[in-house]
Amino acid sequence: MVAEGEGAPGGTASPPDLLRLHEAIAGLFATQGDWQRAYQHLRSALAIARDGSIRDALTSSYNRRYLDERLYGPFTDRPPLGLALIDLDRFKSINDTYGHLVGDRVLRRVADLLQEDLPPGGFCARYGGEEFVLWLPGVDLGRAVRVVDDARLRVARHPWSELQPGLRVTISAGLAHETPESGAPTSPERRLRRADALLYAAKRAGRNKVAYQDAQTTQLISHSE
């Protein structure tokens, strides 16, 4: 991710800058009749444009469009698959107390923390507002729970007071998990509803918790910070 304030001379080029650069180089090679290299740069430009269309502008995590493509498009990730719906606890009070600029910085940092240590093929997507989804393919329930709870702990233990004195940020999560033994894959709507219901169970239990189902019983986990 490009750090805040970059883009000045010597900084990392932004995706729009790279897109324009590849387009310009492609045009130059085209005028010279070097169609092969022009095509290569056009492909690079298209890849950058595609990536930009599926990334959240604020957090650089994947966006709702990409998540919907994975949920409703050709389903390539077969069970076991974990899907965690995550919400920042009392985020409105953060915006009200510290302002929306601080709130935006919190969202960016939480997104970074959520994207650490995901299994191969896993990703984080911003679902909307202060909600995120973790897509966790190829892991059993125990591993999925550990991944989500480790993310919860990273957020809770992050030195938020360095951003603003007195600032504290936690998340709650609902984890829906499906195995090959679960039968036919559930629909995207049902999968999200299950994760959403478990998220609210974590909220009702006091927040800063992970809720999941084990043998049809809702379990809640939280550890000392």
Side-chain angles (χ1 to χ4, degrees), residues 200-217:
Y200 276 96
K203 293 279 192 180
R204 288 193 300 268
R207 298 180 175 84
N208 193 21
K209 291 177 169 55
V210 175
Y212 65 98
Q213 283 193 328
D214 183 9
Q216 305 304 314
T217 301

Side-chain angles (χ1 to χ4, degrees), residues 24-62:
I25 295 174
L28 178 61
F29 281 132
T31 60
Q32 297 172 351
D34 192 340
W35 302 110
Q36 182 176 358
R37 283 197 282 185
Y39 174 69
Q40 290 172 348
H41 282 278
L42 280 177
R43 286 192 63 182
S44 297
L46 287 171
I48 293 170
R50 160 65 179 168
D51 190 63
S53 73
I54 58 176
R55 292 283 181 180
D56 177 61
L58 176 65
T59 65
S60 294
S61 62
Y62 286 111

Side-chain angles (χ1 to χ4, degrees), residues 76-153:
T76 57
D77 287 314
R78 297 299 176 185
L81 174 67
L83 191 152
L85 186 58
I86 293 170
D87 185 69
L88 275 71
D89 296 326
R90 298 186 174 93
F91 184 67
K92 183 178 183 299
S93 69
I94 293 175
N95 280 330
D96 291 344
T97 303
Y98 300 100
H100 288 274
L101 291 178
V102 171
D104 286 350
R105 294 182 69 182
V106 167
L107 286 172
R108 286 194 290 267
R109 187 62 186 133
V110 167
D112 289 342
L113 294 169
L114 293 179
Q115 293 176 93
E116 294 180 14
D117 298 327
L118 295 179
F123 65 86
C124 172
R126 189 178 180 193
Y127 187 63
E130 65 270 24
E131 288 189 320
F132 295 86
V133 167
L134 291 184
W135 182 282
L136 308 172
V139 294
D140 60 21
L141 177 59
R143 171 78 189 284
V145 170
R146 288 193 298 273
V147 169
V148 178
D149 196 50
D150 284 348
R152 180 190 68 82
L153 285 170

